[in-house]
Amino acid sequence: MIKLRLHGSMRSSRSKASMVGITVAVSGMILAACGSSSSSTSSNSSTSNSAAPTTSANAAAAAYFKGKTITLIAPDNPGGGFDQYARIIAPALGKYLGATVNVENVNGGGTVVGTNQMAAAKPDGLTLSVVNTGGDIASLIEKQPGQNFDLAKLSWVGQAGSSPSVLITSPNSGVTSFAQLLKVKTPIKVVDVRNGTGDMFNRIVLGAFNIPHTFITGFTSTGTLKQGFLAGDGQYAFENMPTFLSMLNGGQAKALLVTSKPTLPVLVKAAGNAVTLSEALSSATLTAPQTAAIKEAIALSGLDYDFAGPPGIPAARLAVLRAAFQKAVADPATVAQATKEGEPLGFIDGASVATQVTAAITNGATISTYVNG
Amino acid sequence: MISHLFTGLTDLGTPSVMLLLFFGMVVGMLVGMLPGLGVVLVLTLILPFVYHMSVLETVAIMLATQAGAYFAASITAILLNTPGAPESFPTTLDGFPMARRGEAGKALAISATSTWMGGWIACIFFVGLIQLAGPLNTVFHPPEYMAIIILAIVLIAQTGNIPLSKVFISGLLGLMLSFVGSDPVTGVERFTMGLPTLYSGIGVVPFALGVFAVTQMVKMYGSRKAVASVDLTQLGKGFHAQVRQGIAETFRSWIHVARSATIATLLGLVPGIGGFTSNFISYGVGQKVSKRGPQFGTGITEGLISAEGSSLSKEVGSLIPAVALGLPSGLGMVIFIAALTILGLQPGPSLLKGSPALPYSMMWVLAIAGLLSCVLGLLLAPQLSRITGIKGPYMFPFIVALSVLGSFADVNTTMGIYLLVIFSIVGVAVRDLGYSVAAAAIGLVLGGTFDDNVHLTNSLYGWNFITKSPLADVFFLIAIYLVFSAGRRWHKNKNEVTRQAVKHPLMEWVFDLVMSVFSITYVVVGMGYPAQAGEIPVVVGFLAAVASVYRLVIDFRVWLQVRHEDSLEPIPGNAGPKDAFEGVSLESDGDEASAVAVMTRMENEEEPRTRKDRRQQNTRELIALLWFLGFVAGSLVAGFKIGIPVVTFIYAMVNKDIQSLTKRALFAVSATIVTGALAYAFVELFHLTFHGLI
């Protein structure tokens, strides 16, 4: 491969070119070999199961997905919560559809950039994404720029799970409980990803409980948010629990409040003695609008890690996708991997998600004072 | 700690781990050597396999791939003036001139040895700094990030004898391009012209492949020449001697390795940007402090070492925040952290406490892979060097095919190819005008981070940041000093620039005009966006418009002068790198070293001697561009698997550079098989979803 011999003649020139060619070809063949092994893995596994169509249209739709490549957009970087769910579900989803599901990371704008890209794709069922539904609804109510999609019109496939969000503080803030935080008089500095679920909870919780605060915005993802928090740019942050797991376990952050009681042992340990949002609500005296906002925030916290495609996916194809998705979430391999990564699973079917989304948008007025404040 | 250090090494001693380490290193080297295949693409490809691996196996394959790739990225930078990764751009500055002089073996040996030495020096830092990652992280805040990016642009811009206004325009153009796509803070789409395929922005891959790989191939096709300007057949075993010489020279210049490794390790600690800026800053600092600084860029050992000493050390440095805090320095480390997360590990203090030997295992993987890739690099150097003897027309189809495939694979849409076409045409058109590709590349890669950190700085401190960030102030002051000293130097020498220095007066003026119109349009469009999404692009576009109009006025005068006067009167304020190559000395003190530097560059440039030759070369370059467009069209119409081999076959069969029909047919068949295999591998491996319009 590497024994090039150089001479001045045309023959040598050909030899040179050929040798370069061989070098590149060998490289190409090695890569191709890797590729074929990868492809064969997915195709072998794909034949073992398939969605069970109930009508001829569904049968045609099920056949449509066989052998196809589906792009599943994770609207954050590898290792982020949405990426984790996407990668946990992708293999089983591919298995039940008979397709290859590739995860593509499209990061930015909280998660809006990735969702925009999904929504602009052809509604053929071959482009899906994990959607930050709660955060997007809050952004919608806030009239934040950037969303190029109508949440109510997306083709909802289903929810894979929902993990509680957590309000954390750094050890040097001097605050060790939510009760203590309620007594703080000087504004706290909160690092915040605009357009995210954390941003929504920050605004509703801190606003409704009248905690003086200043937002440090401009972080583009939870990765840069963690960086800012650890660098001391702010002493408080609100995001979903798995995002802060290593910091909570490593003593770099303390949990003050969780949006709901975690069930996975790893999350229970990380939450420590943090109060839930419901507990905080019951022990505080709030006005009716404040209470309504907190209750809506609790409802919104359930809208998490939803999978969707662009508006207009043909009904039969969407039905096949939903059926395969349900099986994928329940697949033993999916469950094992989710437990390993500390991501809770909890299936909700696509039709119910669609209903919840519509309801949440309608109820948006209750939180609008806070998210727009 | 010593016991963990030892355990970290012995833990790697299982066959599967060592095998994956070696495999990862070889894959990494292949990836690094092939233009168009980014390490991120390959790491993403490895990610699904991680589910079936142990922690140490994952660490071995992921980190060894990165170590191999970043070393090998320098190989094409030296041999073909095409950095395998954008970070390796500074390697081209001294590596490629060496290759042109027929010293590719020496350059590759310097690269391999200094990469390894730098990496091992960084490992010593690693041991000392891993427990201090937390406190070190609190040193860097948004103003420091802004300052480091500006400093990187200023330092690298100093290396090319480029007028300030041109550096300014280059860096600003890079920033402007980086703002295309969805605003990372608000999600608002900016400058996308409504095209969803531009939502994710303009990638550095089509940019780098266009301005480096395709531009170099068009140039080599035009000249019919190989990279090396000397007859390599005369060298005999010379390359082996060069390798020995390169190793010896690197050891003698250990201080340069140590300096670059130190800078890169410390910059590697800065999450987010350290990994990318390290090579640029260590090269720039090397030029400033070295006695032979003025000769940097002419193919000298110190220059190459300054760039290469940081190649592996930045990876070792960036491992510290990645492991100790879960904060990555670049996309490679992002994927590495994701892999650890898949395995149920959370990088951070809990990992340091729970698996204290693991970070050292990671360090050892980088150290071992660095050493092995260096040894492999040295063994292969004499053979690889011979690539510099292959003439342009023979190399053309392979590199162009890789560029088309790599650009598409980067984004998995045809937009990647369209951007490649634009950057290739621009690259060919403006390559002699003296703009700084490096400054543009830094702007393009770090523009988003710059934008975010301006927002964050504003959110944290407002204008008060000057009093709150002493470290950022120091970086800013250094940058300002460097700009002023460069400005003074240019002012002092402007009268020495003669008409001879203006190579393409009309082209200069046309580019200024295009740039002015582009910048002004950019500002107008940017003003239509919400303030938070539009203000930084508008400011950047406005500065670019001012600089472009300034150049427009100057270059218009030059064009008129050159057109109407046949005099040697001084032309103020105009000199690009080519000007320096062809004109009189431009260095500040007119010292001997500078004169030598200029002369050496002149010798390195093999420009056509007569007007007829130039015309002939221009025609051939145009033909090369058309062939490149043929590859693009073939891919778009018939898909990669068919279009690329078919166009390769036609290209080879009608190529009159090969006179004998038999030889032409043989080349055609072999080249078609190779490019066809490449296309097949890319389509299958990266699941490319485009199969052609028909």
Side-chain angles (χ1 to χ4, degrees):
Chain A
M1 179 169 92
I2 50 174
K3 285 184 184 169
L4 289 171
R5 291 284 179 268
L6 300 174
H7 308 284
S9 65
M10 191 55 74
R11 177 191 171 86
S12 70
S13 299
R14 188 195 68 212
S15 155
K16 288 172 218 168
S18 307
M19 292 314 290
V20 171
I22 292 165
T23 310
V24 180
V26 171
S27 319
M29 280 184 265
I30 291 169
L31 294 171
C34 299
S36 61
S37 74
S38 152
S39 303
S40 63
T41 307
S42 61
S43 62
N44 286 342
S45 56
S46 69
T47 52
S48 58
N49 263 302
S50 64
T54 51
T55 66
S56 60
N58 278 10
Y64 165 80
F65 285 106
K66 297 231 177 290
K68 291 276 190 340
T69 299
I70 293 175
T71 301
L72 175 57
I73 294 174
D76 56 359
N77 269 329
F82 297 93
D83 173 75
Q84 280 178 283
Y85 270 99
R87 289 183 191 279
I88 288 168
I89 301 292
L93 185 61
K95 183 169 101 177
Y96 292 113
L97 285 171
T100 305
V101 179
N102 289 330
V103 176
E104 187 183 330
N105 295 91
V106 182
N107 183 35
T111 54
V112 173
V113 177
T115 312
N116 275 348
Q117 192 157 314
M118 173 274 286
K122 246 193 261 179
D124 53 8
L126 299 181
T127 305
L128 305 174
S129 82
V130 192
V131 180
N132 176 13
T133 321
D136 287 339
I137 289 172
S139 299
L140 187 71
I141 294 162
E142 289 176 53
K143 297 188 176 59
Q144 285 252 20
Q147 281 186 15
N148 279 2
F149 51 85
D150 184 342
L151 273 170
K153 288 184 182 165
L154 290 180
S155 304
W156 295 101
V157 176
Q159 186 179 93
S162 169
S163 63
S165 289
V166 60
L167 172 65
I168 60 165
T169 185
S170 68
N172 59 12
S173 71
V175 172
T176 54
S177 68
F178 188 68
Q180 224 178 330
L181 183 64
L182 291 174
K183 294 173 190 158
V184 166
K185 298 289 178 220
T186 49
I188 58 171
K189 275 191 175 179
V190 186
V191 288
D192 181 72
V193 179
R194 202 82 172 99
N195 282 329
T197 312
D199 176 68
M200 172 185 72
F201 287 126
N202 266 329
R203 288 168 194 275
I204 301 173
V205 174
L206 300 177
F209 283 101
N210 284 323
I211 299 167
H213 59 273
T214 309
F215 288 128
I216 311 299
T217 54
F219 296 99
T220 54
S221 65
T222 51
T224 54
L225 181 86
K226 283 197 285 184
Q227 191 178 313
F229 180 84
L230 291 173
D233 293 336
Q235 283 76 44
Y236 295 84
F238 214 139
E239 280 299 331
N240 73 27
M241 281 200 80
T243 302
F244 294 141
L245 203 51
S246 71
M247 285 158 47
L248 290 166
N249 289 334
Q252 294 162 303
K254 177 164 178 51
L256 299 179
L257 176 134
V258 286
T259 51
S260 59
K261 203 89 185 157
T263 49
L264 277 182
V266 63
L267 299 183
V268 172
K269 186 183 163 214
N273 56 1
V275 294
T276 63
L277 198 47
S278 307
E279 289 164 355
L281 178 63
S282 60
S283 61
T285 313
L286 300 181
T287 62
Q290 285 169 333
T291 306
I294 294 292
K295 282 186 176 166
E296 183 56 22
I298 292 167
L300 281 171
S301 72
L303 282 170
D304 210 0
Y305 303 118
D306 297 315
F307 284 54
I313 293 181
R317 284 186 202 171
L318 187 57
V320 171
L321 282 171
R322 285 174 172 176
F325 181 78
Q326 181 172 7
K327 288 180 184 173
V329 177
D331 190 274
T334 307
V335 175
Q337 187 60 36
T339 309
K340 200 171 173 184
E341 297 187 32
E343 296 285 8
L345 288 174
F347 171 76
I348 299 177
D349 68 276
S352 302
V353 172
T355 312
Q356 285 180 28
V357 168
T358 313
I361 295 171
T362 314
N363 296 336
T366 53
I367 61 166
S368 101
T369 315
Y370 300 104
V371 292
N372 288 321
Chain B
M1 186 185 72
I2 298 295
S3 67
H4 295 320
L5 189 63
F6 184 71
T7 314
L9 179 62
T10 52
D11 282 353
L12 298 176
T14 60
S16 65
V17 171
M18 290 312 291
L19 196 70
L20 283 169
L21 187 153
F22 190 75
F23 177 75
M25 182 208 71
V26 172
V27 168
M29 284 186 75
L30 274 171
V31 166
M33 275 195 278
L34 292 175
L37 253 182
V39 68
V40 170
L41 269 179
V42 175
L43 289 177
T44 312
L45 206 67
I46 294 173
L47 208 50
F49 295 98
V50 167
Y51 290 93
H52 313 291
M53 289 181 189
S54 72
V55 172
L56 284 169
E57 287 168 347
T58 303
V59 165
I61 192 168
M62 284 255 159
L63 291 180
T65 303
Q66 294 192 56
Y70 286 118
F71 160 65
S74 302
I75 294 175
T76 43
I78 290 168
L79 301 179
L80 298 172
N81 200 25
T82 300
E87 295 94 319
S88 302
F89 171 79
T91 306
T92 62
L93 296 172
D94 282 281
F96 188 61
M98 278 190 184
R100 294 196 66 149
R101 287 202 302 262
E103 294 174 5
K106 182 178 154 187
L108 289 173
I110 290 171
S111 164
T113 315
S114 47
T115 298
W116 158 68
M117 280 172 71
W120 279 42
I121 290 169
C123 286
I124 298 169
F125 279 107
F126 182 95
V127 175
L129 294 176
I130 184 76
Q131 302 298 341
L132 300 173
L136 284 171
N137 184 57
T138 59
V139 173
F140 299 102
H141 300 276
E144 279 78 21
Y145 283 75
M146 275 197 316
I148 289 173
I149 294 170
I150 290 172
L151 190 61
I153 292 179
V154 171
L155 269 170
I156 199 66
Q158 300 272 306
T159 58
N161 274 328
I162 299 172
L164 274 177
S165 54
K166 287 191 172 181
V167 174
F168 204 49
I169 291 170
S170 310
L172 291 170
L173 179 61
L175 286 172
M176 287 160 73
L177 294 176
S178 78
F179 299 143
V180 174
S182 301
D183 171 32
V185 178
T186 62
V188 170
E189 269 96 41
R190 302 179 298 192
F191 311 104
T192 58
M193 296 169 284
L195 296 170
T197 46
L198 274 180
Y199 284 3
S200 49
I202 293 177
V204 74
V205 171
F207 173 83
L209 288 171
V211 299
F212 291 115
V214 176
T215 300
Q216 182 67 24
M217 281 306 112
V218 167
K219 195 173 173 182
M220 283 172 65
Y221 183 98
S223 67
R224 288 198 185 92
K225 286 176 181 161
V227 165
S229 56
V230 295
D231 183 2
L232 298 184
T233 54
Q234 304 299 314
L235 275 176
K237 288 275 180 191
F239 279 134
H240 290 87
Q242 282 186 11
V243 170
R244 288 192 293 276
Q245 191 191 352
I247 297 171
E249 283 193 18
T250 310
F251 274 98
R252 276 200 297 275
S253 305
W254 64 270
I255 188 76
H256 297 286
V257 183
R259 186 188 53 244
S260 282
T262 307
I263 292 170
T265 312
L266 295 178
L267 280 169
L269 289 170
V270 186
I273 56 170
F276 186 79
T277 53
S278 296
N279 287 7
F280 290 84
I281 291 183
S282 60
Y283 183 84
V285 171
Q287 189 192 31
K288 287 287 154 200
V289 303
S290 169
K291 283 179 191 163
R292 297 179 74 193
Q295 287 168 271
F296 270 47
T298 63
I300 63 166
T301 304
E302 292 86 342
L304 186 53
I305 290 177
S306 294
E308 290 296 79
S310 57
S311 278
L312 182 59
S313 46
K314 71 178 180 351
E315 294 306 307
V316 180
S318 64
L319 191 59
I320 296 174
V323 180
L325 302 169
L327 302 176
S329 269
L331 262 182
M333 280 296 162
V334 168
I335 297 171
F336 177 60
I337 290 176
L340 294 180
T341 313
I342 286 171
L343 296 168
L345 290 175
Q346 292 111 30
S350 53
L351 187 144
L352 292 186
K353 278 182 207 156
S355 316
L358 188 58
Y360 298 106
S361 292
M362 296 174 185
M363 181 203 82
W364 283 115
V365 168
L366 284 177
I368 295 168
L371 175 65
L372 288 176
S373 59
C374 165
V375 171
L376 202 58
L378 290 173
L379 290 173
L380 295 177
Q383 282 74 26
L384 287 170
S385 303
R386 293 174 195 280
I387 289 173
T388 57
I390 300 171
K391 288 180 180 166
Y394 291 93
M395 210 178 284
F396 186 87
F398 307 107
I399 303 294
V400 165
L402 275 168
S403 301
V404 172
L405 289 164
S407 297
F408 185 92
D410 182 46
V411 285
N412 214 354
T413 73
T414 46
M415 182 53 74
I417 300 180
Y418 299 141
L419 290 172
L420 174 76
V421 170
I422 293 169
F423 288 127
S424 300
I425 292 170
V426 172
V428 171
V430 308
R431 69 171 200 268
D432 289 341
L433 302 187
Y435 285 87
S436 170
V437 175
I442 295 179
L444 178 60
V445 173
L446 297 179
T449 313
F450 182 76
D451 189 3
D452 305 341
N453 283 288
V454 172
H455 280 302
L456 281 168
T457 301
N458 184 39
S459 178
L460 270 169
Y461 312 115
W463 279 104
N464 213 13
F465 80 89
I466 295 167
T467 60
K468 300 276 186 184
S469 317
L471 184 61
D473 292 343
V474 171
F475 290 146
F476 278 126
L477 286 174
I478 294 172
I480 290 167
Y481 166 76
L482 291 172
V483 169
F484 272 102
S485 65
R488 219 175 34 241
R489 192 166 71 235
W490 283 103
H491 183 73
K492 196 172 170 183
N493 291 290
K494 67 180 180 185
N495 290 337
E496 295 175 24
V497 183
T498 66
R499 178 193 153 181
Q500 201 182 352
V502 185
K503 195 169 173 187
H504 299 291
L506 179 61
M507 205 60 205
E508 294 252 6
W509 187 77
V510 170
F511 179 76
D512 299 334
L513 186 64
V514 171
M515 195 55 211
S516 302
V517 173
F518 175 68
S519 311
I520 292 166
T521 313
Y522 190 92
V523 171
V524 172
V525 174
M527 287 168 78
Y529 299 127
Q532 202 184 359
E535 57 195 5
I536 307 283
V538 166
V539 170
V540 168
F542 176 75
L543 293 173
V546 171
S548 303
V549 171
Y550 166 76
R551 292 276 349 150
L552 185 71
V553 173
I554 286 182
D555 290 330
F556 185 63
R557 279 173 50 203
V558 171
W559 178 53
L560 285 180
Q561 208 168 334
V562 170
R563 198 169 169 215
H564 297 298
E565 298 171 17
D566 189 23
S567 72
L568 292 176
E569 283 302 303
I571 296 159
N574 187 78
K578 296 288 169 164
D579 312 344
F581 304 155
E582 296 188 3
V584 293
S585 170
L586 294 170
E587 303 295 336
S588 55
D589 301 314
D591 57 87
E592 204 175 320
S594 306
V596 171
V598 172
M599 289 308 291
T600 315
R601 286 184 208 181
M602 288 168 66
E603 285 166 13
N604 280 337
E605 293 299 316
E606 290 188 12
E607 295 299 329
R609 301 221 178 262
T610 65
R611 192 180 286 262
K612 189 183 163 197
D613 286 347
R614 179 178 288 279
R615 219 174 21 241
Q616 213 170 33
Q617 180 161 341
N618 285 345
T619 310
R620 281 186 60 85
E621 287 186 4
L622 189 63
I623 292 169
L625 262 181
L626 290 174
W627 272 117
F628 160 63
L629 293 176
F631 274 86
V632 169
S635 305
L636 291 178
V637 172
F640 302 110
K641 285 187 194 169
I642 297 171
I644 284 183
V646 166
V647 178
T648 304
F649 187 78
I650 299 168
Y651 165 89
M653 286 307 290
V654 301
N655 195 330
K656 289 184 181 161
D657 292 313
I658 310 168
Q659 285 162 1
S660 151
L661 187 63
T662 319
K663 288 171 184 170
R664 224 182 284 170
L666 277 171
F667 175 62
V669 170
S670 55
T672 304
I673 291 170
V674 172
T675 55
L678 275 173
Y680 181 83
F682 262 79
V683 170
E684 295 301 322
L685 197 60
F686 299 117
H687 307 288
L688 304 189
T689 48
F690 178 75
H691 302 292
L693 298 173
I694 57 168

